[in-house]
Amino acid sequence: EAGLRHNAYALEVYGAALGRAGEHAAALRVFGAVEEQHRGAGVVWPWDPSVVALIAAMTTQLGEAAAGGARSEGARATLAGLAEA
């Protein structure tokens, strides 16, 4: 979508910015999309320790169920839907 060849990389930066700004549910939705794009390409994600730590901290803040729900929602989202986050 949006003519981006590497959507997952741009989205990862967006998700990290959201997470660091305290927008945990929105960040986890974006990370769900990132993870799904990488999974489709056969790439294991996350690989950056700072992203692993950020996801863990946000999951603790929101709780496992809410965090998992946000990531699942993001895995099914479009770029337009994520931009509204």
Side-chain angles (χ1 to χ4, degrees):
E1 289 181 316
L4 296 175
R5 182 170 178 215
H6 300 291
N7 289 340
Y9 301 106
L11 285 176
E12 184 172 354
V13 172
Y14 179 51
L18 286 170
R20 290 185 176 101
E23 299 291 334
H24 299 150
L28 287 168
R29 279 193 296 277
V30 171
F31 282 151
V34 171
E35 185 170 33
E36 186 61 27
Q37 287 186 10
H38 281 304
R39 182 186 347 266
V43 176
V44 176
W45 186 89
W47 58 81
D48 184 297
S50 69
V51 174
V52 172
L54 182 59
I55 290 171
M58 292 187 299
T59 299
T60 298
Q61 285 271 344
L62 290 179
E64 290 285 336
R71 288 175 78 175
S72 292
E73 183 181 322
R76 298 183 306 274
T78 63
L79 280 178
L82 291 171
E84 295 170 2

Coordinates of all heavy atoms in Angstrom, one line a residue:
E1 N 0.8 -1.2 0.0 CA 0.0 0.0 0.0 C 0.9 1.2 0.0 O 2.0 1.2 0.4 CB -0.9 0.0 1.2 CG -2.0 -1.0 1.2 CD -2.8 -0.9 2.4 OE1 -2.3 -0.8 3.5 OE2 -4.1 -1.0 2.2
A2 N 0.3 2.3 -0.4 CA 0.9 3.7 -0.4 C 2.2 3.7 -1.2 O 3.0 4.6 -0.9 CB 1.1 4.1 1.0
G3 N 2.5 2.7 -2.0 CA 3.7 2.7 -2.8 C 5.0 2.5 -2.0 O 6.1 2.7 -2.5
L4 N 4.9 2.0 -0.8 CA 6.1 1.7 0.0 C 6.5 0.3 -0.2 O 5.7 -0.6 0.0 CB 5.8 2.0 1.5 CG 5.4 3.4 1.9 CD1 5.1 3.4 3.4 CD2 6.6 4.3 1.6
R5 N 7.7 0.1 -0.6 CA 8.3 -1.2 -0.8 C 8.5 -1.9 0.5 O 8.4 -3.1 0.6 CB 9.5 -1.1 -1.6 CG 10.1 -2.5 -1.9 CD 11.2 -2.4 -3.0 NE 11.7 -3.8 -3.2 CZ 12.9 -4.0 -3.4 NH1 13.8 -3.1 -3.5 NH2 13.3 -5.3 -3.5
H6 N 9.0 -1.2 1.5 CA 9.3 -1.8 2.8 C 8.4 -1.2 3.9 O 8.9 -0.6 4.9 CB 10.8 -1.5 3.1 CG 11.7 -2.0 2.1 ND1 11.9 -3.4 1.9 CD2 12.5 -1.4 1.2 CE1 12.8 -3.6 1.0 NE2 13.1 -2.4 0.5
N7 N 7.1 -1.4 3.8 CA 6.2 -0.9 4.7 C 6.5 -1.3 6.2 O 6.4 -0.6 7.1 CB 4.8 -1.5 4.4 CG 4.2 -0.8 3.2 OD1 4.6 0.2 2.8 ND2 3.2 -1.5 2.7
A8 N 7.0 -2.6 6.4 CA 7.2 -3.0 7.7 C 8.3 -2.2 8.4 O 8.2 -1.9 9.6 CB 7.7 -4.5 7.7
Y9 N 9.3 -1.7 7.7 CA 10.4 -1.0 8.3 C 9.9 0.4 8.7 O 10.2 0.9 9.8 CB 11.6 -0.9 7.4 CG 12.1 -2.3 7.1 CD1 11.9 -2.9 5.9 CD2 12.7 -3.0 8.1 CE1 12.4 -4.1 5.6 CE2 13.2 -4.3 7.9 CZ 13.0 -4.9 6.6 OH 13.4 -6.1 6.3
A10 N 9.1 1.1 7.8 CA 8.5 2.4 8.2 C 7.5 2.2 9.3 O 7.5 3.1 10.2 CB 7.9 3.0 6.9
L11 N 6.7 1.2 9.3 CA 5.8 1.0 10.3 C 6.4 0.7 11.7 O 5.9 1.1 12.7 CB 4.8 -0.2 10.0 CG 3.8 0.2 8.9 CD1 3.0 -1.1 8.6 CD2 2.8 1.3 9.4
E12 N 7.6 0.0 11.7 CA 8.3 -0.3 12.9 C 8.7 1.0 13.6 O 8.5 1.2 14.8 CB 9.5 -1.2 12.7 CG 10.1 -1.6 13.9 CD 11.2 -2.6 13.7 OE1 11.4 -3.2 12.6 OE2 11.9 -2.9 14.7
V13 N 9.2 2.0 12.8 CA 9.6 3.3 13.4 C 8.4 4.0 13.9 O 8.4 4.6 15.0 CB 10.3 4.1 12.3 CG1 10.5 5.5 12.8 CG2 11.6 3.5 11.9
Y14 N 7.3 3.9 13.2 CA 6.0 4.6 13.6 C 5.5 3.9 14.9 O 5.1 4.6 15.9 CB 5.0 4.5 12.5 CG 3.6 5.0 12.8 CD1 3.5 6.3 13.3 CD2 2.5 4.3 12.6 CE1 2.2 6.8 13.6 CE2 1.2 4.8 12.8 CZ 1.1 6.1 13.3 OH -0.2 6.6 13.5
G15 N 5.5 2.6 15.0 CA 5.1 1.9 16.2 C 5.9 2.2 17.4 O 5.4 2.4 18.5
A16 N 7.2 2.3 17.2 CA 8.1 2.6 18.3 C 7.9 4.1 18.8 O 7.9 4.3 20.0 CB 9.6 2.5 17.9
A17 N 7.6 5.0 17.9 CA 7.4 6.4 18.3 C 6.1 6.4 19.1 O 6.0 7.1 20.1 CB 7.3 7.3 17.0
L18 N 5.0 5.7 18.6 CA 3.8 5.7 19.4 C 4.0 5.1 20.8 O 3.5 5.6 21.7 CB 2.7 4.8 18.6 CG 2.1 5.4 17.4 CD1 1.3 4.4 16.6 CD2 1.2 6.6 17.7
G19 N 4.7 4.0 20.8 CA 5.0 3.4 22.1 C 5.7 4.3 23.1 O 5.4 4.4 24.3
R20 N 6.7 4.9 22.6 CA 7.5 5.8 23.4 C 6.7 7.1 23.9 O 7.1 7.7 24.9 CB 8.8 6.2 22.8 CG 9.7 5.0 22.7 CD 11.1 5.2 22.1 NE 11.9 4.0 22.2 CZ 12.2 3.2 21.1 NH1 11.6 3.5 20.0 NH2 12.9 2.2 21.3
A21 N 5.7 7.4 23.1 CA 4.8 8.5 23.4 C 3.7 8.1 24.4 O 2.9 8.9 24.7 CB 4.2 9.1 22.2
G22 N 3.6 6.8 24.7 CA 2.6 6.4 25.7 C 1.4 5.9 25.0 O 0.4 5.5 25.7
E23 N 1.3 5.8 23.7 CA 0.2 5.3 23.0 C 0.3 3.8 22.8 O 0.5 3.3 21.7 CB 0.1 6.0 21.6 CG -0.1 7.5 21.7 CD -1.4 7.9 22.3 OE1 -2.4 7.2 22.2 OE2 -1.5 9.0 22.9
H24 N 0.2 3.1 23.9 CA 0.5 1.6 23.9 C -0.4 0.8 23.0 O 0.1 -0.1 22.2 CB 0.5 1.1 25.3 CG 1.6 1.8 26.1 ND1 1.4 1.9 27.5 CD2 2.8 2.3 25.8 CE1 2.5 2.6 28.0 NE2 3.3 2.8 27.0
A25 N -1.7 1.0 23.1 CA -2.6 0.2 22.2 C -2.3 0.4 20.8 O -2.3 -0.5 20.0 CB -4.0 0.4 22.6
A26 N -2.2 1.7 20.4 CA -1.9 2.0 19.0 C -0.6 1.5 18.5 O -0.5 0.9 17.4 CB -2.0 3.6 18.8
A27 N 0.4 1.6 19.4 CA 1.7 1.0 19.0 C 1.7 -0.5 18.8 O 2.2 -1.0 17.9 CB 2.7 1.3 20.1
L28 N 1.0 -1.2 19.7 CA 0.9 -2.6 19.5 C 0.1 -3.0 18.3 O 0.4 -4.0 17.7 CB 0.3 -3.3 20.8 CG 1.3 -3.2 22.0 CD1 0.6 -3.6 23.3 CD2 2.4 -4.2 21.7
R29 N -0.9 -2.2 17.9 CA -1.6 -2.5 16.7 C -0.7 -2.4 15.5 O -0.6 -3.2 14.6 CB -2.8 -1.5 16.5 CG -4.0 -1.9 17.2 CD -5.3 -1.1 16.8 NE -5.1 0.3 17.0 CZ -5.4 0.9 18.2 NH1 -5.8 0.1 19.2 NH2 -5.3 2.2 18.3
V30 N 0.1 -1.3 15.5 CA 1.1 -1.1 14.4 C 2.1 -2.3 14.4 O 2.5 -2.8 13.4 CB 1.8 0.3 14.6 CG1 3.0 0.4 13.6 CG2 0.8 1.4 14.3
F31 N 2.6 -2.6 15.6 CA 3.6 -3.7 15.7 C 3.0 -5.1 15.2 O 3.6 -5.9 14.7 CB 4.1 -3.9 17.1 CG 5.2 -2.9 17.5 CD1 5.4 -2.5 18.8 CD2 6.1 -2.4 16.5 CE1 6.4 -1.6 19.1 CE2 7.0 -1.4 16.8 CZ 7.2 -1.0 18.1
G32 N 1.7 -5.2 15.4 CA 1.0 -6.4 14.9 C 1.1 -6.5 13.4 O 1.3 -7.5 12.8
A33 N 0.9 -5.3 12.8 CA 1.0 -5.2 11.3 C 2.4 -5.5 10.9 O 2.7 -6.2 9.9 CB 0.5 -3.9 10.8
V34 N 3.4 -5.0 11.6 CA 4.8 -5.2 11.3 C 5.1 -6.7 11.3 O 5.7 -7.2 10.4 CB 5.7 -4.4 12.2 CG1 7.2 -4.8 12.1 CG2 5.5 -2.9 12.0
E35 N 4.7 -7.3 12.4 CA 5.0 -8.7 12.6 C 4.4 -9.6 11.5 O 5.0 -10.5 11.0 CB 4.5 -9.2 14.0 CG 4.8 -10.6 14.3 CD 4.5 -10.9 15.8 OE1 3.5 -10.4 16.3 OE2 5.2 -11.7 16.3
E36 N 3.1 -9.2 11.1 CA 2.5 -10.0 10.1 C 3.2 -9.8 8.7 O 3.3 -10.8 8.0 CB 1.0 -9.5 9.9 CG 0.2 -10.3 9.0 CD 0.1 -11.8 9.4 OE1 0.2 -12.2 10.6 OE2 -0.1 -12.6 8.4
Q37 N 3.6 -8.6 8.4 CA 4.4 -8.4 7.2 C 5.7 -9.2 7.2 O 6.0 -9.8 6.1 CB 4.6 -6.9 6.9 CG 3.4 -6.2 6.5 CD 3.6 -4.7 6.2 OE1 4.8 -4.3 6.1 NE2 2.6 -4.0 6.0
H38 N 6.4 -9.2 8.3 CA 7.6 -9.9 8.3 C 7.3 -11.4 8.2 O 8.1 -12.2 7.6 CB 8.4 -9.6 9.6 CG 9.1 -8.3 9.5 ND1 10.1 -8.0 8.6 CD2 9.1 -7.2 10.3 CE1 10.6 -6.8 8.7 NE2 10.0 -6.3 9.8
R39 N 6.3 -11.9 8.9 CA 5.9 -13.3 8.9 C 5.7 -13.7 7.4 O 6.1 -14.8 7.0 CB 4.7 -13.6 9.8 CG 4.3 -15.0 9.8 CD 3.0 -15.3 10.6 NE 2.5 -14.3 11.4 CZ 2.7 -14.1 12.7 NH1 3.5 -14.9 13.3 NH2 2.1 -13.1 13.3
G40 N 4.9 -12.9 6.7 CA 4.7 -13.2 5.3 C 5.9 -13.3 4.4 O 5.9 -14.0 3.4
A41 N 6.9 -12.6 4.8 CA 8.2 -12.6 4.1 C 9.2 -13.6 4.7 O 10.3 -13.8 4.2 CB 8.9 -11.2 4.2
G42 N 8.7 -14.4 5.7 CA 9.6 -15.4 6.3 C 10.7 -14.9 7.2 O 11.7 -15.5 7.4
V43 N 10.5 -13.7 7.7 CA 11.5 -13.0 8.5 C 11.0 -13.1 10.0 O 9.9 -12.7 10.3 CB 11.7 -11.5 8.1 CG1 12.6 -10.8 9.0 CG2 12.1 -11.5 6.7
V44 N 11.9 -13.5 10.9 CA 11.6 -13.5 12.3 C 11.6 -12.1 12.8 O 12.6 -11.3 12.5 CB 12.6 -14.4 13.1 CG1 12.4 -14.3 14.6 CG2 12.6 -15.8 12.6
W45 N 10.7 -11.7 13.6 CA 10.6 -10.3 14.2 C 10.0 -10.4 15.5 O 9.1 -11.2 15.8 CB 9.7 -9.5 13.2 CG 9.7 -8.0 13.7 CD1 10.5 -7.1 13.3 CD2 8.7 -7.4 14.6 NE1 10.2 -5.9 13.9 CE2 9.1 -6.1 14.7 CE3 7.6 -7.9 15.3 CZ2 8.4 -5.2 15.5 CZ3 7.0 -7.0 16.1 CH2 7.4 -5.6 16.2
P46 N 10.3 -9.6 16.5 CA 11.3 -8.5 16.4 C 12.7 -9.0 16.6 O 12.9 -10.0 17.3 CB 10.9 -7.6 17.6 CG 10.2 -8.5 18.6 CD 9.6 -9.6 17.8
W47 N 13.7 -8.3 16.1 CA 15.1 -8.7 16.2 C 15.8 -7.7 17.0 O 16.9 -7.9 17.5 CB 15.8 -8.9 14.9 CG 15.7 -7.7 14.0 CD1 16.5 -6.7 14.1 CD2 14.8 -7.5 13.0 NE1 16.2 -5.7 13.1 CE2 15.1 -6.2 12.4 CE3 13.7 -8.2 12.4 CZ2 14.4 -5.6 11.4 CZ3 13.0 -7.6 11.4 CH2 13.3 -6.4 10.9
D48 N 15.3 -6.5 17.2 CA 16.0 -5.4 17.9 C 15.6 -5.5 19.4 O 14.5 -5.4 19.7 CB 15.5 -4.0 17.3 CG 16.3 -2.9 17.9 OD1 16.1 -2.7 19.1 OD2 17.0 -2.2 17.2
P49 N 16.6 -5.6 20.2 CA 16.4 -5.7 21.7 C 15.5 -4.5 22.2 O 14.8 -4.7 23.2 CB 17.8 -5.7 22.3 CG 18.7 -6.1 21.2 CD 18.1 -5.6 19.9
S50 N 15.7 -3.3 21.7 CA 14.9 -2.2 22.2 C 13.4 -2.4 21.9 O 12.6 -2.0 22.7 CB 15.4 -0.9 21.7 OG 15.2 -0.7 20.3
V51 N 13.1 -3.0 20.7 CA 11.7 -3.2 20.4 C 11.2 -4.3 21.2 O 10.0 -4.3 21.7 CB 11.6 -3.5 18.8 CG1 10.2 -3.9 18.5 CG2 12.0 -2.3 18.0
V52 N 12.0 -5.4 21.5 CA 11.5 -6.5 22.3 C 11.2 -5.9 23.7 O 10.1 -6.2 24.3 CB 12.6 -7.5 22.4 CG1 12.3 -8.6 23.5 CG2 12.9 -8.2 21.1
A53 N 12.0 -5.0 24.2 CA 11.8 -4.5 25.6 C 10.6 -3.6 25.6 O 9.8 -3.6 26.5 CB 13.0 -3.7 26.0
L54 N 10.4 -2.8 24.5 CA 9.2 -1.9 24.4 C 7.9 -2.7 24.4 O 7.0 -2.4 25.1 CB 9.4 -1.0 23.2 CG 8.3 0.0 22.9 CD1 8.1 1.0 24.1 CD2 8.6 0.8 21.6
I55 N 7.9 -3.7 23.6 CA 6.7 -4.6 23.5 C 6.4 -5.2 24.8 O 5.3 -5.3 25.3 CB 6.9 -5.7 22.4 CG1 6.9 -5.0 21.0 CG2 5.8 -6.7 22.5 CD1 7.2 -5.9 19.8
A56 N 7.4 -5.7 25.5 CA 7.2 -6.3 26.8 C 6.7 -5.3 27.8 O 5.7 -5.6 28.6 CB 8.5 -6.9 27.3
A57 N 7.2 -4.1 27.8 CA 6.8 -3.1 28.8 C 5.3 -2.7 28.5 O 4.5 -2.5 29.4 CB 7.7 -1.9 28.7
M58 N 5.0 -2.5 27.2 CA 3.6 -2.2 26.8 C 2.6 -3.3 27.1 O 1.5 -3.0 27.6 CB 3.5 -1.8 25.4 CG 4.3 -0.5 25.1 SD 4.0 0.1 23.4 CE 4.7 -1.2 22.4
T59 N 3.1 -4.5 26.9 CA 2.2 -5.7 27.3 C 1.9 -5.7 28.8 O 0.8 -6.0 29.2 CB 2.9 -7.0 26.8 OG1 3.0 -6.9 25.3 CG2 2.1 -8.2 27.1
T60 N 2.9 -5.4 29.6 CA 2.7 -5.4 31.0 C 1.8 -4.3 31.4 O 0.9 -4.5 32.2 CB 4.1 -5.2 31.7 OG1 5.0 -6.3 31.4 CG2 3.9 -5.0 33.2
Q61 N 1.9 -3.1 30.8 CA 1.0 -2.0 31.1 C -0.4 -2.3 30.7 O -1.3 -2.0 31.5 CB 1.5 -0.8 30.3 CG 2.7 -0.1 30.8 CD 2.4 0.9 31.8 OE1 1.2 1.4 32.0 NE2 3.4 1.3 32.6
L62 N -0.6 -2.9 29.5 CA -2.0 -3.1 29.0 C -2.6 -4.4 29.5 O -3.8 -4.6 29.6 CB -2.0 -3.1 27.5 CG -1.8 -1.8 26.8 CD1 -1.9 -2.0 25.3 CD2 -2.9 -0.8 27.2
G63 N -1.8 -5.4 29.8 CA -2.2 -6.7 30.1 C -2.1 -7.6 28.9 O -2.3 -7.1 27.8
E64 N -1.9 -8.9 29.1 CA -1.7 -9.9 28.0 C -2.9 -9.9 27.1 O -2.7 -9.9 25.8 CB -1.5 -11.3 28.6 CG -0.2 -11.5 29.3 CD 1.0 -11.6 28.3 OE1 0.8 -11.9 27.2 OE2 2.1 -11.3 28.8
A65 N -4.1 -9.9 27.6 CA -5.3 -10.0 26.7 C -5.4 -8.8 25.8 O -5.6 -8.9 24.6 CB -6.5 -10.3 27.5
A66 N -5.4 -7.6 26.4 CA -5.5 -6.4 25.6 C -4.4 -6.2 24.6 O -4.6 -5.8 23.5 CB -5.6 -5.2 26.5
A67 N -3.2 -6.5 25.0 CA -2.0 -6.4 24.2 C -2.1 -7.4 23.0 O -1.9 -7.0 21.8 CB -0.7 -6.6 24.9
G68 N -2.5 -8.6 23.3 CA -2.7 -9.6 22.2 C -3.8 -9.2 21.3 O -3.6 -9.4 20.1
G69 N -4.8 -8.7 21.8 CA -5.9 -8.2 21.0 C -5.5 -7.1 20.0 O -5.9 -7.1 18.9
A70 N -4.7 -6.2 20.6 CA -4.3 -5.0 19.7 C -3.3 -5.5 18.6 O -3.5 -5.1 17.5 CB -3.5 -4.0 20.6
R71 N -2.5 -6.5 19.0 CA -1.5 -7.0 17.9 C -2.3 -7.8 16.9 O -2.0 -7.7 15.7 CB -0.5 -7.9 18.6 CG 0.6 -7.0 19.3 CD 1.6 -7.8 20.0 NE 2.6 -8.2 19.1 CZ 3.7 -8.9 19.5 NH1 3.9 -9.1 20.8 NH2 4.6 -9.3 18.6
S72 N -3.3 -8.6 17.3 CA -4.1 -9.3 16.3 C -4.9 -8.4 15.4 O -5.0 -8.6 14.2 CB -5.1 -10.2 17.1 OG -4.4 -11.2 17.7
E73 N -5.4 -7.3 16.0 CA -6.2 -6.3 15.2 C -5.2 -5.7 14.2 O -5.6 -5.5 13.0 CB -6.7 -5.2 16.1 CG -7.6 -4.2 15.5 CD -8.1 -3.1 16.5 OE1 -8.4 -3.5 17.6 OE2 -8.1 -2.0 16.1
G74 N -4.0 -5.3 14.6 CA -3.1 -4.7 13.7 C -2.6 -5.7 12.6 O -2.4 -5.2 11.5
A75 N -2.6 -7.0 12.9 CA -2.2 -7.9 11.8 C -3.2 -8.0 10.7 O -2.9 -8.4 9.6 CB -2.1 -9.3 12.5
R76 N -4.4 -7.5 11.0 CA -5.5 -7.5 9.9 C -5.8 -6.2 9.3 O -6.6 -6.0 8.5 CB -6.8 -8.1 10.5 CG -6.7 -9.5 11.0 CD -8.1 -10.0 11.5 NE -8.7 -9.1 12.5 CZ -8.4 -9.2 13.9 NH1 -7.6 -10.1 14.3 NH2 -9.0 -8.4 14.7
A77 N -5.1 -5.1 9.8 CA -5.3 -3.8 9.5 C -4.7 -3.4 8.1 O -3.8 -4.0 7.6 CB -4.8 -2.8 10.6
T78 N -5.3 -2.3 7.6 CA -4.7 -1.7 6.4 C -3.8 -0.5 6.8 O -3.9 -0.1 8.0 CB -5.8 -1.1 5.5 OG1 -6.5 -0.1 6.2 CG2 -6.8 -2.2 5.0
L79 N -3.0 0.0 5.9 CA -2.2 1.2 6.3 C -3.1 2.4 6.7 O -2.8 3.1 7.6 CB -1.3 1.6 5.1 CG 0.0 0.8 5.0 CD1 0.8 1.3 3.8 CD2 0.9 0.9 6.2
A80 N -4.2 2.5 5.9 CA -5.1 3.6 6.2 C -5.7 3.5 7.6 O -5.8 4.5 8.4 CB -6.2 3.7 5.2
G81 N -6.0 2.3 8.0 CA -6.6 2.0 9.4 C -5.5 2.3 10.4 O -5.8 2.8 11.5
L82 N -4.3 1.9 10.2 CA -3.2 2.2 11.1 C -2.9 3.7 11.3 O -2.6 4.1 12.3 CB -2.0 1.4 10.7 CG -2.1 -0.1 10.9 CD1 -0.8 -0.7 10.2 CD2 -2.2 -0.5 12.3
A83 N -3.0 4.4 10.2 CA -2.8 5.8 10.2 C -3.8 6.6 11.1 O -3.5 7.6 11.6 CB -2.8 6.4 8.8
E84 N -4.9 6.0 11.3 CA -6.0 6.6 12.1 C -5.7 6.3 13.6 O -6.4 6.9 14.4 CB -7.3 6.1 11.7 CG -7.8 6.5 10.3 CD -9.0 5.7 9.9 OE1 -9.6 5.0 10.6 OE2 -9.4 6.0 8.7
A85 N -4.8 5.5 13.9 CA -4.5 5.1 15.3 C -4.1 6.2 16.1 O -3.5 7.2 15.7 CB -3.4 4.0 15.3

